[in-house]
Amino acid sequence: RAIRMMIPPAWQNVDTMDADLRAFYEFNSMHMEPWDGPAGLVTTDGRYAVCLLDRNGLRPSRWVVTKDGFITVASEIGTYSYKPEDVVAKGRIGP
């Protein structure tokens, strides 16, 4: 619910959308504009991590996984200090 409210899709012209989902977006559109949300969002259930960009996908978000199990997601390089040899994987989150 939080993700759908903070980062809604472009739902207004989707004719096949479920009526309950349309009502959800119509109600919440009174409280928050689509561009008021975060540039990116990270959620986890303790087992999986999910990272996504805002619906426009204009601001970059990069991720790095290190040997010690840390996952860093940020819009700027150098947010977390790590040695290049400790990097297991890295990349960029797409829109």
Side-chain angles (χ1 to χ4, degrees):
R1 179 176 181 207
I3 291 173
R4 287 188 178 196
M5 185 176 165
M6 293 176 72
I7 309 174
W11 59 272
Q12 293 87 343
N13 296 321
V14 179
D15 297 330
T16 58
M17 181 176 288
D18 177 77
D20 288 338
L21 186 56
R22 179 173 296 282
F24 171 83
Y25 286 129
E26 285 176 354
F27 175 79
N28 286 298
S29 69
M30 295 183 292
H31 306 290
M32 191 170 199
E33 295 293 335
W35 50 85
D36 285 345
L41 197 64
V42 178
T43 63
T44 183
D45 65 356
R47 183 173 176 194
Y48 297 102
V50 178
C51 308
L52 63 142
L53 299 177
D54 67 355
R55 81 179 199 182
N56 297 317
L58 299 176
R59 297 179 218 166
S61 188
R62 295 170 182 87
W63 57 270
V64 174
V65 179
T66 57
K67 289 179 183 176
D68 55 6
F70 283 97
I71 301 171
T72 304
V73 178
S75 62
E76 301 295 330
I77 295 293
T79 301
Y80 172 67
S81 181
Y82 55 84
K83 297 177 186 171
E85 60 267 18
D86 291 337
V87 174
V88 174
K90 63 181 177 177
R92 182 176 179 195
I93 298 174

